[in-house]
Amino acid sequence: MNTPTAPQAAALAGDRVASVTRNTAETKITVSVNLDGTGRAKLSTGIGFFDHMLDQIARHGLIDLEIDCQGDLHIDGHHTVEDVGITLGQAVAKAVGDKKGLRRYGHAYVPLDEALSRVVIDFSGRPGLVMHVPFTSGMIGGFDSQLTYEFFQGFVNHAFVTLHIDNLKGINAHHQCETVFKAFARALRSALEIDPRSVGVIPSTKGSL
Ligand SMILES: [Mn+2]
């Protein structure tokens, strides 16, 4: 059999879309994803800077992403950011399915002026987060920079991925955070691609992921 073209390989993988609703006493969230999208985003979390970061995931990950979150922002942003991470992780896990033909690994370096971050991801089936981001400011607009960790921990636990995040350089906290999300998006995009040379094959010598 000839190796299919990339679009043929993607078509063989089927529709990689999912929608997840998660309601608790703290947040009410609906996330819809199309992993083979064009970067279209419709985001409403009530935290402007967080919407700006989620927009990076859609745009640079070429994922169509709709997120609506009604969270308890009268307390603070913690539950909103963590629970969006959890629900996005659930949606990605559902959309990615059995991982046949998946490239599985992805990595990216992304700069923004003085800031530089590196993100490496593996759709390993095992949750694991190693994150080193020395934010130079506690707050970025109305967003608590510490919640970046909570977002990625929630994502990792429910997408069942191994994720290494390093901010290597940076002075401006907005830049630091934006390079992390952009590098995450690019790494995600690479890992989620269907490899035309491995259509129908689960990328593990174990035979499952
Ligand atoms: Mn920005």
Side-chain angles (χ1 to χ4, degrees):
M1 180 184 123
N2 292 328
T3 300
T5 63
Q8 284 169 340
L12 285 167
D15 285 343
R16 298 194 300 168
V17 299
S19 195
V20 175
T21 295
R22 183 179 187 274
N23 292 328
T24 72
E26 296 172 339
T27 58
K28 301 195 184 326
I29 301 175
T30 298
V31 172
S32 300
V33 297
N34 176 3
L35 303 184
D36 304 294
T38 57
R40 194 176 46 81
K42 197 172 160 204
L43 308 163
S44 177
T45 67
I47 304 172
F49 183 78
F50 187 39
D51 286 351
H52 182 42
M53 293 301 100
L54 296 169
D55 202 15
Q56 308 307 324
I57 296 176
R59 174 65 50 201
H60 297 287
L62 292 181
I63 293 169
D64 290 342
L65 184 60
E66 286 190 26
I67 299 178
D68 184 77
C69 174
Q70 310 291 323
D72 54 1
L73 294 178
H74 60 283
I75 296 174
D76 67 7
H78 196 114
H79 304 138
T80 291
V81 174
E82 180 178 10
D83 293 359
V84 166
I86 289 170
T87 314
L88 178 62
Q90 291 173 336
V92 168
K94 197 173 162 189
V96 85
D98 62 9
K99 302 178 186 171
K100 278 183 181 164
L102 203 69
R103 286 202 192 276
R104 177 178 169 179
Y105 300 101
H107 68 274
Y109 284 82
V110 169
L112 199 176
D113 298 340
E114 90 296 345
L116 175 67
S117 292
R118 178 187 61 215
V119 173
V120 184
I121 192 167
D122 173 15
F123 276 79
S124 57
R126 298 183 301 277
L129 175 65
V130 181
M131 182 167 156
H132 179 69
V133 183
F135 280 112
T136 57
S137 172
M139 294 300 288
I140 309 168
F143 178 80
D144 179 352
S145 62
Q146 285 189 325
L147 298 182
T148 309
Y149 180 87
E150 305 303 323
F151 171 80
F152 284 112
Q153 188 67 68
F155 178 85
V156 156
N157 287 347
H158 293 270
F160 301 99
V161 296
T162 305
L163 186 62
H164 287 254
I165 299 175
D166 288 275
N167 173 245
L168 306 172
K169 295 173 187 174
I171 295 167
N172 179 281
H174 183 130
H175 289 172
Q176 286 178 297
C177 199
E178 192 162 327
T179 55
V180 165
F181 276 84
K182 283 176 169 170
F184 172 66
R186 279 298 174 113
L188 198 57
R189 175 180 163 185
S190 300
L192 287 173
E193 271 180 357
I194 300 298
D195 184 344
R197 294 176 63 196
S198 297
V199 171
V201 177
I202 292 174
S204 168
T205 51
K206 283 200 300 284
S208 69
L209 277 174

